[in-house]
Amino acid sequence: MTHAIRIHETGGPEKMVWDDIPLPSPKPGEALIRHKAVGLNFIDVYFRTGLYKAPSLPAIIGMEASGIVEAVGEGVTEVAVGDRVAYATGPIGAYAEARCLKADRLVRMPDAIGFEQAAAMMLQGMTAAFLIKKCYPVQPGQTVLVHAAAGGVGLIMCQWLKHLGCTVIGVVGTEEKATLARAHGVTHALLTTDDVPARVKEITGGAMLPVVFDSVGRDSFNVSLDCLAPFGMLVSYGNASGPVAVPDLGILAAKGSLYLTRPTLATYTAKHEDLIARANDLFEVVSSGAVQIRVNQTFALKDAADAHRALEARKTTGSTVLIP
């Protein structure tokens, strides 16, 4: 037997239960991973509340973890027993002491990357990677805006954007988070209470922005559109404040023939070669020191409900990991 956090019904953090479950055996093409650290992400909240639907209930949530391969199924060539591995794509099931996963969803960790660091950075870091390198390939000299700049994805993205030669405008909720954002690559830290489009107009001399990266969702959607230059792109990749209702597409025309996309990491890493490419992008930029991964909070896996409460109350900064 082993243990896992499961939800038997959707709802608040109290719906997560520390259950005994059978230790799985890997099927053909799968590997059994003994987790050393599990990442905490807002997508976990979406599955817990039912905003995103689990395949069935009870369900083990969680998208990201690191650990050691304990066994492999028939036909597995991607990893071997004893390998240090990490992952950050579906299906859900990371909130467990051990789990089986398709081997082609795993990436081998460089020796320089620790388990907690890997669990803290794979989902958030590969999200940053595909957003700024594939979804909207940023160029040196561009000024871009990042919402939730002091969050897990935000801190990684802002450092990376600065490394790539961009000027970063970061929007945060408090002065404390503004200070943190400035220490991680943000040149202009704005508060959510500011008139953000007016400040962007001032910063850019009226030119506005080619792209806005928005993980907040409903509360920031119109603000984001108002920050864009003609032909600009709004990359809406999260729903922290709630989902965005599908807009009248005419608003994109009225505000300057804008582009709107709602991308996911799963789509951008569906092919094994794309997964490895994005992981290698991340490993390279972290190993070089250009991006620092800070684990600012740790919780025991069995106390995942407390971690969710802290995350939803916006009391966390940077990355949080759960320790089995």
Side-chain angles (χ1 to χ4, degrees):
M1 299 293 286
T2 187
H3 296 92
I5 290 285
R6 295 200 297 182
I7 55 168
H8 296 258
E9 58 182 344
T10 58
E14 73 283 354
K15 299 299 183 181
M16 295 189 291
V17 181
W18 185 241
D19 282 343
D20 291 324
I21 62 170
L23 181 68
S25 296
K27 299 174 183 177
E30 292 185 342
L32 172 65
I33 306 100
R34 178 67 59 176
H35 287 154
K36 296 295 185 180
V38 176
L40 175 72
N41 298 282
F42 235 104
I43 193 172
D44 305 342
V45 174
Y46 301 158
F47 276 107
R48 190 205 74 220
T49 61
L51 177 62
Y52 291 178
K53 300 300 182 185
S56 61
L57 294 177
I60 302 171
I61 60 175
M63 298 286 290
E64 169 185 47
S66 63
I68 297 174
V69 176
E70 202 165 79
V72 296
E74 181 182 352
V76 169
T77 59
E78 296 87 354
V79 297
V81 173
D83 280 351
R84 301 167 70 251
V85 297
Y87 63 88
T89 57
I92 59 174
Y95 281 28
E97 293 176 325
R99 74 173 296 192
C100 289
L101 194 68
K102 289 185 177 180
D104 66 3
R105 294 290 89 195
L106 300 172
V107 295
R108 291 189 179 94
M109 294 164 45
D111 292 340
I113 304 294
F115 289 114
E116 289 189 19
Q117 187 181 45
M121 77 181 193
M122 294 304 296
L123 183 60
Q124 295 168 350
M126 288 202 298
T127 296
F130 93 80
L131 289 174
I132 66 179
K133 295 183 79 69
K134 296 297 289 185
C135 185
Y136 183 93
V138 299
Q139 301 299 316
Q142 288 183 320
T143 300
V144 305
L145 187 145
V146 177
H147 285 282
V153 175
L155 290 179
I156 295 171
M157 189 184 302
C158 291
Q159 293 177 80
W160 206 333
L161 287 165
K162 182 179 180 181
H163 173 65
L164 293 173
C166 296
T167 297
V168 184
I169 302 172
V171 181
V172 296
T174 66
E175 288 290 355
E176 181 183 13
K177 290 188 176 184
T179 299
L180 181 65
R182 292 188 192 98
H184 289 78
V186 170
T187 301
H188 305 280
L190 310 183
L191 299 180
T192 52
T193 52
D194 291 340
D195 185 339
V196 173
R199 292 285 288 116
V200 167
K201 186 175 183 179
E202 176 186 338
I203 291 165
T204 62
M208 308 309 281
L209 304 172
V211 64
V212 172
F213 297 100
D214 189 342
S215 63
V216 175
R218 181 175 57 208
D219 290 353
S220 58
F221 181 77
N222 288 319
V223 169
S224 294
L225 291 180
D226 287 340
C227 291
L228 290 169
F231 313 113
M233 177 179 285
L234 171 52
V235 180
S236 178
Y237 69 97
N239 310 296
S241 67
V244 177
V246 176
D248 176 356
L249 291 180
I251 194 173
L252 302 179
K255 292 182 180 292
S257 299
L258 304 179
Y259 293 87
L260 169 64
T261 184
R262 181 60 172 88
T264 68
L265 176 63
T267 306
Y268 277 82
T269 57
K271 295 180 180 179
H272 182 67
E273 57 266 32
D274 290 333
L275 171 65
I276 298 302
R278 298 293 75 77
N280 286 341
D281 287 339
L282 177 61
F283 292 147
E284 179 181 354
V285 78
V286 171
S287 297
S288 75
V291 171
Q292 301 287 325
I293 304 297
R294 303 191 186 280
V295 179
N296 291 341
Q297 299 85 205
T298 60
F299 294 82
L301 178 59
K302 64 182 178 61
D303 297 327
D306 292 335
H308 276 229
R309 292 185 184 100
L311 181 65
E312 290 182 277
R314 305 203 177 195
K315 294 181 178 179
T316 65
T317 60
S319 298
T320 303
V321 298
L322 311 174
I323 307 301

